[in-house]
Amino acid sequence: MPVFSSAALRSSVVSRLRAAGCVFAEDEARILLTAAATPADLAAMVRARAEGRPLEHVVGWAEFAGLRIAVDPGVFVPRRRSEFLAAAAARLTGPGALVVDLCCGSGALGAAVTATAGHPVELYAADLDPAAVRCARRNLAGTGARIFEGDLFAALPDAVRGRVGVLIANVPYVPTGDLELLPPEARLHEARPALDGGADGLDVLRRVAAEAPGWLAAGGSLLFETSERQAAGALAVALAAGLTAVVSRDEELDATVVTATRP
């Protein structure tokens, strides 16, 4: 696709985005100018972004862990902080490991793990949202992944039970009462079930942790993201499920990950 190189046009796009409140207007202008195939495309994209649609929904993809991940309107946009979760999962993924990406969304985490593991991985992914599952099928095409639509473990084939070496579960963890505090991009344009973690943000995690021991192989690990302020509660949930658990933190990415292992 062509890149519009006119300095005047670039300046105009940056000004429009700044006026709309886009903090990273110059970076976003560069992406929009690259993504647009025609002047009409560019005008429509800039208008949509200025109206508050997430940039990733406007251009149809998000950059994640060095990959271009397809993201359709309404689908949860993978956050850069989740690269910490992907890296932690990849480190535990040995040759031939059975990996499950639960609440997979666009499939970004599974794609990142298979791309960086450096050896074949048996990947299963599942999500409740049909739109997310469609994205995951595109993003995981060619990896041999098996992708399912359904509610958490109920979506998985029973043959996986007790064999999972790495279980990635990027569950929603925003407390219901905090949803209105989210940026409009997320609050208005991403599926609520991908964000809402219940009263304390840990409801979906409790469901996953309670069932995880029955799906993990001995020594297998459940990895999930949480917020720094919820880390103690999330750790307690994992321990209550009979898993040993540790918390890891990346200050630069503002990312907190719990790794919970079946003894």
Side-chain angles (χ1 to χ4, degrees), residues 85-158:
L85 174 57
R91 284 194 295 271
L92 295 179
T93 302
L98 196 160
V99 178
V100 170
D101 184 1
L102 212 57
C103 302
C104 70
S106 63
L109 287 164
V113 170
T114 56
T116 59
H119 42 253
V121 171
E122 185 181 356
L123 177 64
Y124 292 75
D127 199 282
L128 187 62
D129 180 7
V133 170
R134 287 193 293 271
C135 280
R137 287 187 172 133
R138 282 151 54 200
N139 290 318
L140 294 170
T143 67
R146 298 181 63 189
I147 303 152
F148 303 90
E149 180 185 326
D151 187 19
L152 300 179
F153 294 103
L156 299 176
D158 199 60

Side-chain angles (χ1 to χ4, degrees), residues 4 28 38 62 70 77 85 133 135 155 220 254:
F4 295 88
E28 294 193 10
T38 67
V77 176
L85 174 57
V133 170
C135 280
D254 187 25

Side-chain angles (χ1 to χ4, degrees), residues 124-217:
Y124 292 75
D127 199 282
L128 187 62
D129 180 7
V133 170
R134 287 193 293 271
C135 280
R137 287 187 172 133
R138 282 151 54 200
N139 290 318
L140 294 170
T143 67
R146 298 181 63 189
I147 303 152
F148 303 90
E149 180 185 326
D151 187 19
L152 300 179
F153 294 103
L156 299 176
D158 199 60
V160 175
R161 190 183 297 271
R163 298 177 51 224
V164 181
V166 176
L167 172 57
I168 310 164
N170 198 14
V171 298
Y173 57 87
V174 179
T176 303
D178 290 352
L179 290 174
E180 292 304 311
L181 305 178
L182 291 175
E185 290 179 3
R187 179 166 39 86
L188 301 178
H189 296 282
E190 293 178 319
R192 184 182 176 109
L195 303 168
D196 190 349
D200 64 354
L202 302 177
D203 280 0
V204 184
L205 174 62
R206 289 188 183 93
R207 293 179 58 203
V208 171
E211 289 195 58
W215 291 84
L216 290 169

Side-chain angles (χ1 to χ4, degrees), residues 28 31-32 35 41-61 71-73 77:
E28 294 193 10
I31 292 171
L32 291 171
D41 265 355
L42 178 62
M45 287 181 172
V46 172
R47 182 170 59 252
R49 181 64 185 120
E51 290 172 352
R53 282 181 56 194
L55 176 67
E56 296 81 2
H57 289 169
V58 172
V59 299
W61 56 269
V71 183
D72 289 340
V77 176

